[in-house]
Amino acid sequence: LSTITKSVSPLTYTIGDVITYHIVVSNSEGTRNNLVISDVLPSGLGYLTHTVITDSSLSTGLLTANFNGTFQNTPPIVTSTITSLALNFGTTVVPGDNDTTNNSFLIRVQAQVTNTIGNQAGTILTNTASADYTNRPSVATSTQTITITEPSIAFTKTVNFVSPLDAGDTVTYTLGYTNINGTNVSTAFDVIITDTLPISITLNSGSILSSTIGIVGTIAQTIVGGNLTFTVSSVAPGASVIITYT
């Protein structure tokens, strides 16, 4: 009999994140012919790579001892698509030493959260791994879920001036970028804020001021004529960036 246990940590991910799933395959002592471990990814995840681990020192505590068995196919025969992985180990033998601690091996599967319309904040993606072999009593399966998170953005622009506006008067612009805190909200990375001034307004480049609320990364600015670009490395949930200029 083979059993399978799948785990992942953390349980929340955002677009572009790489997820590492841990699949522990435990075997009773004996021989399994045509052992195949499969991992079926849901729409919204894309398979990247995998690693087979039999050395407990490389398992981050998931294996209590080195795997004492042997595989016919080393490495396993791989069949993969963007949403599935099958590893055929062939005949797999676990010696009868009456020690259950050395009957398991680990497979690490990495997948990436894809930028698809279905991956909205709060979406739950379910992933199932299975173990199958010739004349097995039943297919062993293990399921793991993750939840998608996204930034929740609010952007404002205001202008302040004394009316009526005449040539030479000062106009003050204020840009506000907020990542609204809430359930399933993630940090916003590589934020780009742009503003193009009307041709009738000349920027006072020395007037540009930026301030932040909460956890915000670095802020860089680029000015080309009346085109302003502000690049913010990260904005955590609940944080804001405020930029003013005249």
Side-chain angles (χ1 to χ4, degrees), residues 155-208:
F155 184 72
T156 60
K157 180 178 181 179
T158 61
V159 60
N160 185 41
F161 59 89
V162 177
S163 183
L165 188 64
D166 294 323
D169 287 349
T170 297
V171 176
T172 302
Y173 292 101
T174 301
L175 307 180
Y177 180 101
T178 298
N179 189 7
I180 302 171
N181 203 5
T183 303
N184 299 320
V185 175
S186 62
T187 297
F189 292 99
D190 302 323
V191 176
I192 299 176
I193 302 169
T194 61
D195 192 18
T196 300
L197 298 179
I199 194 170
S200 58
I201 293 186
T202 300
L203 173 69
N204 174 7
S205 59
S207 70
I208 300 175

Side-chain angles (χ1 to χ4, degrees), residues 129-145:
S130 63
D132 195 6
Y133 53 93
T134 304
N135 297 325
R136 79 297 189 263
S138 62
V139 177
T141 62
S142 181
T143 298
Q144 183 66 61
T145 62

Side-chain angles (χ1 to χ4, degrees), residues 17-224:
D17 279 350
V18 174
I19 307 169
T20 300
Y21 289 103
H22 308 276
I23 303 170
V24 176
V25 182
S26 300
N27 309 277
S28 57
E29 295 172 350
T31 300
R32 282 150 196 80
N33 295 317
N34 196 36
L35 176 64
V36 177
I37 307 302
S38 301
D39 195 18
V40 179
L41 300 174
S43 176
L45 296 183
Y47 164 71
L48 294 176
T49 187
H50 71 275
T51 306
V52 178
I53 297 171
T54 58
D55 185 336
S56 62
S57 67
L58 304 177
S59 72
T60 59
L62 294 175
L63 299 178
T64 55
N66 293 347
F67 180 55
N68 192 37
T70 58
F71 305 118
Q72 178 186 8
N73 301 328
T74 305
I77 298 172
V78 178
T79 304
S80 65
T81 68
I82 190 65
T83 58
S84 67
L85 171 69
L87 303 177
N88 188 332
F89 292 90
T91 300
T92 301
V93 179
V94 180
D97 61 359
N98 294 318
D99 183 359
T100 59
T101 65
N102 60 15
N103 293 351
S104 301
F105 62 93
L106 170 66
I107 303 170
R108 284 200 174 108
V109 177
Q110 287 195 319
Q112 188 168 40
V113 182
T114 57
N115 187 14
T116 56
I117 190 65
N119 279 342
Q120 303 293 322
T123 297
I124 296 175
L125 300 181
T126 301
N127 174 250
T128 301
S130 63
D132 195 6
Y133 53 93
T134 304
N135 297 325
R136 79 297 189 263
S138 62
V139 177
T141 62
S142 181
T143 298
Q144 183 66 61
T145 62
I146 64 162
T147 301
I148 300 299
T149 62
E150 288 188 298
S152 179
I153 303 306
F155 184 72
T156 60
K157 180 178 181 179
T158 61
V159 60
N160 185 41
F161 59 89
V162 177
S163 183
L165 188 64
D166 294 323
D169 287 349
T170 297
V171 176
T172 302
Y173 292 101
T174 301
L175 307 180
Y177 180 101
T178 298
N179 189 7
I180 302 171
N181 203 5
T183 303
N184 299 320
V185 175
S186 62
T187 297
F189 292 99
D190 302 323
V191 176
I192 299 176
I193 302 169
T194 61
D195 192 18
T196 300
L197 298 179
I199 194 170
S200 58
I201 293 186
T202 300
L203 173 69
N204 174 7
S205 59
S207 70
I208 300 175
L209 296 174
S210 62
S211 60
T212 62
I213 299 171
I215 301 174
V216 176
T218 59
I219 302 174
Q221 65 185 46
T222 302
I223 304 169
V224 180

